[in-house]
Amino acid sequence: MSSTFPVHDTSASAASGWVEEWLRRARPVDPGHHDELRQPDGQLRPAWRALATQLGAPFDELSRCQEALARQIREDGITYNVYNAAGGSSRPWSLEALPLLISPEEWPWLERGIAQRADLLNRILVDTYGEQTLLREAMLPSALVLGHPGYLRGLQGTQPLGGVYLHVVAFDLARGPDGAWWVVGQRTQAPSGLGYVMQNRLIVSRLFPEAYRALNVQHLASTYRRLLDTMSTLAQPCAGGDTPSLALLTPGPYNETYFEHAYLARYLGLPLVEGCDLTVRDDRLFLKTVQGLSPIHGLLRRLDDDFCDPLELRTDSTLGIPGLTQVVRAGNVVLANALGTGFLESPAVHGFLPALSEHLLEEDLILPSLPSWWCGEASAWAAVRPQLAQQVIRPTYPVLDTPGGLSARRKLQQETVLGFTLTPKEVRAWEETVAQDPAAHTVQTFIPYGQTPVWSDGGLSLRSASVRVYALSDGRGGWRVLPGGMTRIATRDDGPVSLQQGGSSLDTWVISTEPVDAFSMLPKSIKLEELEQRQRPVASRTGENLFWMGRYTERCEQQLRLTERLISLRAEDDEPDQRLLKTLSALGVQFGMVPADTPALDKSGRVFERVALDALGDAQAGQGAYSLGFNLSELTRTAQALRERLSPAHARLLRAMATDFQQALRHSGPLDPAALAARVSTVQDALAHLSVQLGAVTGAQSDNMTRDPGWRLLTVGRLIERLHGHAHILQAFWTHQALRHPQGFDQALEMFDSTITFRARFQRRLEVPALVALLVMDDANQRSLACVVRRLRTELGKLPARAGSPADLLALLPHEGVGATLAALCDPVTGHTAMLGLLDRLLEASWRLSDEVGRLYFAHAEPTDSMVSA
């Protein structure tokens, strides 16, 4: 954090004045809500008094720190994807500077209550998928459990390793008007937020380091370590004596919380994988890597049950792993959390938990749930029906992801949060709706959420807040509660607590009177025998994205140079040579800058120029044109999928390129000659800025990335694209004989970024053999075909050995040089034909190399027996 809150005088006299200033700046709490900041007598609560004493009263510093915090979030690329935004866009993560404070008197009680509930839910799962005593004795209605889509019949009788169904369980807590905590929701499938919790803590603790230490805030790292230790211990039987391999399963970059998946994977030291990265062979799970198949023994999943296995669960899922359910049955993988836990997320379950706690734990629930009535029980519906106007109606089962379903769910959520009172007409309508399908509806008591202070407009506003806390299993029946959590607040003083609807988040500080846990996730001293194991394999999808990152980087650079050459024609004093115009027109089509039916430069130069400028910033592929804007967009997309591999600075630069280029190209008004000239000037400025950025990206790829197989695939991708592009450039210049004119000669050198080198060696001798020697045969020139081929041979030879590789890949390239001699290419009679033949062979080699690299390192296709008898 580049800006921290300054340390102030904390003497008693100064502190008293600061507390009064905090009280003066604080706006009133909304009627009916608990006030987190002030006691009933109007004074600051002890925890807030301690924070006020540490921070002091210069509130302009809070404004500065809030701005620094927002800037840090933008620079780090911390995002939250909004599904209902146009195009499913992402927005910067919303975080407030002031934390939520939990006092040392409250936390032990909350900790016991959360651990008790986690234990209870795990015991319910053990029984539900085992003997089903609770169902037979009607302590948990069979219709509620077996009728819920979250209950997976195919796993009945299957016990996960160690009997642990829930490795991580999250509970949403809120304070009622009297200050008592209530459990308002629970997440048992793939609880979200752990990554954001740690990110929030790192940012806010650095913002207020003195206050963080003075208040003795509990640390989080050891609880995260416990999660990994538990998974590793439970996965030992799968690993056969080896160190278990764990991974974090994500739905991918379009998921709303993908940033935290990538951040959490990096923090925990786990590979971030998607379903397509994994495959099942012989009832075991494997990660597809560029080195081959690597066993996976444990998955920390952030993918809901339905999508995990298209063979047995949701058949239209493209996110899951075919056969994963069978791997679970075979006991060959630890899933955190186990499949089939989703029915516990139903609000109807809350109504049965008090009795289940007495039965299974022989104790009362420490933390109460909201009073809940499942309408599938006639007696419950009859009891709550007279009170319906003041209650909240929620769906018992997950609402389908359809526009109508989402709308209905949003309406119910708004009623829950805002406490809307139903009119008599609405009550009658709901009574009719419930009567049609009583089991599909659950009624719960409404509580107005407690409100906590946030810094806003020069004062302290009070916003409704809920806290998500996490319990983690130790694998032996015990539970560790994360001393903190993710606090979500409403976007306005009395609005819905929803990140999708514009809410924000807070760090959650658990204040302790005991010494804080100083454990760090920083690695301990490593043993020599562990070094080999620490060389993590590169997932095939990661390798493929790196491969295409290299290709898109090179494509952008080549298109940039070609665009600069097209624009440079406007500045020429002499009439452009017709052969050069034909060459550049052909290259414009070949490089996707204009559609194939665009009139050539030698036929209608203005039309070609306008079409090229119109397409330049188009991020969508259309009419056969793949513009510079499109390739920049694709480069950004691949970078998004590689978030866990790239440094923050590298990722930030890649994101900025496409955004800066699009903003620079915005224009309006008719394209008269004057407007066109101004637009060309704008494009030149945008290209110049992009050229600098591309140079920085290339430098980051060359100097700041580990030389592992992933980096080699990136380099191979870039070299293949360079071989392909440069061969096409020379082919066009040779085909149209543009090198016979000085303009064409100069343009060819510029396209290869070799003008300075050529002038230094040959001065102004515009002779084709000299150009061939530099651009084709000189393997010291990074842009020459010979150098590209030599580097390709080197990098291909260092790729991981697979069946038939890399020898088969090397066989596609010339054994020496470029496969031709300088004398043959410069022969006055046959040289022209020899050059075109060489370029055709190199183009063919580039295509075949691209296909073979994909087949060997990305596809992992398994040979199958023919289904047709011989």
Side-chain angles (χ1 to χ4, degrees):
M1 176 65 64
S2 58
S3 178
T4 58
F5 202 87
V7 179
H8 296 284
D9 179 10
T10 56
S11 62
S13 58
S16 176
W18 295 336
V19 168
E20 292 303 319
E21 181 67 9
W22 275 64
L23 288 170
R24 189 182 69 80
R25 294 280 192 123
R27 294 159 194 169
V29 71
D30 291 323
H33 294 261
H34 173 76
D35 190 338
E36 291 283 348
L37 180 67
R38 290 163 291 214
Q39 300 178 124
D41 62 3
Q43 296 302 307
L44 289 184
R45 297 186 184 276
W48 281 100
R49 176 179 291 272
L51 183 63
T53 301
Q54 289 297 320
L55 298 186
F59 285 98
D60 56 334
E61 295 289 351
L62 276 176
S63 296
R64 183 177 60 82
C65 286
Q66 186 70 51
E67 293 170 0
L69 182 151
R71 183 170 59 252
Q72 187 73 42
I73 287 174
R74 289 194 302 270
E75 290 177 354
D76 289 347
I78 308 172
T79 57
Y80 178 79
N81 297 331
V82 186
Y83 286 145
N84 60 359
S89 62
S90 62
R91 68 174 184 223
W93 176 246
S94 184
L95 174 63
E96 305 297 326
L98 292 176
L100 177 84
L101 304 181
I102 298 180
S103 69
E105 294 77 26
E106 283 187 304
W107 180 249
W109 175 76
L110 285 173
E111 189 175 33
R112 289 195 302 273
I114 294 301
Q116 179 198 49
R117 278 182 164 264
D119 186 27
L120 175 61
L121 295 183
N122 197 74
R123 293 190 186 209
I124 292 173
L125 289 167
V126 170
D127 180 83
T128 303
Y129 284 100
E131 297 181 358
Q132 297 192 332
T133 302
L134 299 177
L135 302 186
R136 288 198 304 272
E137 296 180 359
M139 300 199 68
L140 196 58
S142 297
L144 172 60
V145 176
L146 304 183
H148 195 289
Y151 172 78
L152 302 183
R153 295 175 182 270
L155 291 175
Q156 176 62 39
T158 300
Q159 186 181 63
L161 292 170
V164 178
Y165 286 84
L166 299 175
H167 295 255
V168 183
V169 57
F171 298 94
D172 292 326
L173 308 181
R175 285 192 194 267
D178 60 353
W181 287 99
W182 294 83
V183 177
V184 298
Q186 54 200 29
R187 295 292 178 264
T188 54
Q189 288 191 75
S192 64
L194 280 174
Y196 287 126
V197 169
M198 181 55 70
Q199 181 70 70
N200 287 358
R201 172 59 54 86
L202 291 177
I203 292 177
V204 175
S205 63
R206 291 170 183 170
L207 198 66
F208 307 124
E210 296 297 328
Y212 182 73
R213 287 190 290 269
L215 267 64
N216 208 36
V217 179
Q218 281 286 9
H219 295 185
L220 306 175
S222 62
T223 308
Y224 287 81
R225 180 73 255 175
R226 174 64 58 86
L227 173 62
L228 293 181
D229 290 344
T230 298
M231 290 186 65
S232 294
T233 300
L234 294 177
Q236 285 291 346
C238 308
D242 296 330
T243 301
S245 297
L246 310 179
L248 193 152
L249 176 63
T250 174
Y254 298 108
N255 184 262
E256 60 186 345
T257 57
Y258 177 72
F259 168 83
E260 74 140 342
H261 304 174
Y263 179 85
L264 186 60
R266 179 180 290 179
Y267 180 73
L268 297 177
L270 301 179
L272 183 67
V273 301
E274 297 179 25
C276 59
D277 296 328
L278 301 167
T279 187
V280 173
R281 305 283 170 86
D282 298 325
D283 291 345
R284 292 188 176 275
L285 189 64
F286 293 89
L287 174 64
K288 294 184 284 188
T289 77
V290 297
Q291 295 92 341
L293 296 181
S294 177
I296 291 292
H297 309 107
L299 278 181
L300 176 60
R301 66 182 179 95
R302 292 300 311 277
L303 185 63
D304 285 347
D305 290 353
D306 286 354
F307 298 94
C308 282
D309 185 350
L311 290 183
E312 297 196 40
L313 302 173
R314 185 163 170 166
T315 57
D316 63 345
S317 170
T318 60
L319 305 176
I321 308 131
L324 178 63
T325 309
Q326 183 55 35
V327 179
V328 171
R329 289 195 194 96
N332 290 329
V333 69
V334 171
L335 286 188
N337 287 338
L339 296 174
T341 63
F343 72 89
L344 289 176
E345 296 182 353
S346 172
V349 172
H350 289 262
F352 302 94
L353 292 181
L356 290 172
S357 179
E358 293 178 5
H359 177 73
L360 294 175
L361 305 179
E362 299 182 350
E363 56 190 27
D364 294 333
L365 281 178
I366 297 173
L367 284 173
S369 294
L370 291 177
S372 305
W373 296 265
W374 179 49
C375 298
E377 288 188 317
S379 59
W381 171 231
V384 77
R385 187 171 182 173
Q387 313 167 37
L388 196 61
Q390 288 77 41
Q391 306 297 330
V392 175
I393 304 172
R394 287 184 166 180
T396 301
Y397 309 118
V399 179
L400 294 176
D401 288 335
T402 62
L406 289 174
S407 177
R409 178 166 58 191
R410 191 171 299 116
K411 183 175 187 297
L412 292 177
Q413 287 173 338
Q414 288 176 341
E415 291 169 356
T416 300
V417 175
L418 301 180
F420 293 157
T421 300
L422 300 179
T423 65
K425 182 178 179 181
E426 290 173 326
V427 170
R428 289 193 297 272
W430 273 112
E431 287 178 342
E432 294 175 1
T433 300
V434 174
Q436 292 174 4
D437 189 1
H441 298 86
T442 298
V443 178
Q444 288 188 316
T445 295
F446 169 78
I447 63 165
Y449 288 6
Q451 296 187 333
T452 192
V454 297
W455 178 249
S456 175
D457 299 327
L460 296 173
S461 297
L462 277 295
R463 304 282 175 83
S464 298
S466 70
V467 186
R468 175 165 292 185
V469 294
Y470 302 85
L472 288 80
S473 171
D474 65 3
R476 301 183 300 274
W479 295 87
R480 175 76 172 267
V481 180
L482 185 74
M486 184 174 69
T487 298
R488 294 171 294 174
I489 62 169
T491 185
R492 57 184 186 275
D493 291 354
D494 194 20
V497 180
S498 169
L499 294 176
Q500 279 286 336
Q501 298 183 46
S504 190
S505 70
L506 310 177
D507 190 14
T508 307
W509 286 11
V510 173
I511 301 172
S512 176
T513 57
E514 303 293 331
V516 298
D517 187 346
F519 175 82
S520 172
M521 284 288 286
L522 294 175
K524 299 178 181 178
S525 299
I526 192 169
K527 299 178 181 178
L528 292 178
E529 58 268 22
E530 296 178 312
L531 291 176
E532 183 65 26
Q533 298 176 4
R534 295 283 179 160
Q535 296 176 6
R536 182 186 301 168
V538 177
S540 291
R541 178 182 55 84
T542 299
E544 186 172 15
N545 280 320
L546 287 165
F547 178 75
W548 280 99
M549 174 181 281
R551 297 196 69 170
Y552 283 125
T553 302
E554 183 65 23
R555 283 184 188 180
C556 290
E557 186 171 306
Q558 291 177 11
Q559 283 192 325
L560 184 148
R561 292 189 181 281
L562 180 56
T563 304
E564 289 177 331
R565 295 305 93 221
L566 290 171
I567 291 177
S568 72
L569 294 177
R570 297 175 57 89
E572 295 283 350
D573 294 331
D574 300 329
E575 187 70 20
D577 180 67
Q578 294 297 301
R579 290 165 296 189
L580 176 60
L581 294 177
K582 292 178 180 179
T583 299
L584 294 180
S585 298
L587 290 174
V589 173
Q590 182 64 51
F591 280 78
M593 296 176 60
V594 296
D597 58 356
T598 305
L601 281 165
D602 58 315
K603 302 296 183 183
S604 180
R606 293 298 182 190
V607 172
F608 187 97
E609 186 178 39
R610 291 190 182 190
V611 171
L613 290 177
D614 285 338
L616 190 61
D618 187 3
Q620 304 296 323
Q623 301 181 354
Y626 296 87
S627 67
L628 181 54
F630 171 81
N631 285 315
L632 284 171
S633 176
E634 289 300 290
L635 179 57
T636 302
R637 181 187 60 80
T638 57
Q640 177 76 2
L642 293 166
R643 187 188 287 266
E644 79 280 9
R645 291 266 315 188
L646 305 178
S647 69
H650 192 176
R652 188 161 57 243
L653 178 59
L654 287 165
R655 288 194 304 271
M657 283 200 305
T659 302
D660 292 352
F661 191 66
Q662 292 293 339
Q663 291 177 347
L665 293 184
R666 289 178 181 172
H667 65 278
S668 60
L671 287 178
D672 54 42
L676 182 60
R679 188 173 170 195
V680 169
S681 177
T682 299
V683 169
Q684 286 178 310
D685 292 340
L687 293 175
H689 182 62
L690 179 60
S691 179
V692 174
Q693 290 177 314
L694 276 172
V697 166
T698 302
Q701 292 174 356
S702 299
D703 296 335
N704 297 344
M705 296 182 69
T706 303
R707 262 54 171 176
D708 64 358
W711 178 85
R712 299 205 181 280
L713 285 166
L714 181 150
T715 305
V716 166
R718 180 153 194 177
L719 291 172
I720 287 175
E721 195 66 38
R722 181 171 294 181
L723 178 64
H724 181 262
H726 285 187
H728 266 304
I729 292 170
L730 286 176
Q731 187 182 61
F733 275 90
W734 246 260
T735 299
H736 298 286
Q737 301 184 9
L739 296 176
R740 295 186 176 184
H741 192 280
Q743 280 185 333
F745 205 99
D746 288 342
Q747 292 281 20
L749 290 172
E750 289 289 346
M751 288 290 293
F752 278 73
D753 193 23
S754 297
T755 300
I756 295 176
T757 304
F758 186 86
R759 299 298 180 222
R761 293 185 185 181
F762 305 108
Q763 289 76 46
R764 293 295 303 172
R765 298 182 63 178
L766 306 183
E767 299 178 27
V768 172
L771 184 140
V772 172
L774 180 63
L775 302 187
V776 179
M777 305 301 296
D778 186 358
D779 69 357
N781 178 13
Q782 293 291 316
R783 303 285 174 176
S784 76
L785 297 181
C787 184
V788 173
V789 171
R790 175 179 60 79
R791 291 183 61 199
L792 263 175
R793 283 196 293 261
T794 299
E795 298 303 335
L796 289 171
K798 294 180 180 180
L799 287 176
R802 301 286 307 282
S805 71
D808 288 351
L809 296 177
L810 292 173
L812 298 175
L813 293 170
H815 296 299
E816 289 187 37
V818 291
T821 64
L822 181 61
L825 297 178
C826 297
D827 186 278
V829 177
T830 61
H832 183 81
T833 302
M835 175 62 78
L836 291 177
L838 169 65
L839 296 174
D840 283 339
R841 293 193 298 275
L842 293 178
L843 287 170
E844 175 68 15
S846 68
W847 282 113
R848 292 188 62 189
L849 274 175
S850 179
D851 291 343
E852 287 302 300
V853 167
R855 183 183 67 82
L856 288 169
Y857 294 104
F858 311 145
H860 290 271
E862 189 175 53
T864 57
D865 295 332
S866 172
M867 298 182 65
V868 180
S869 299

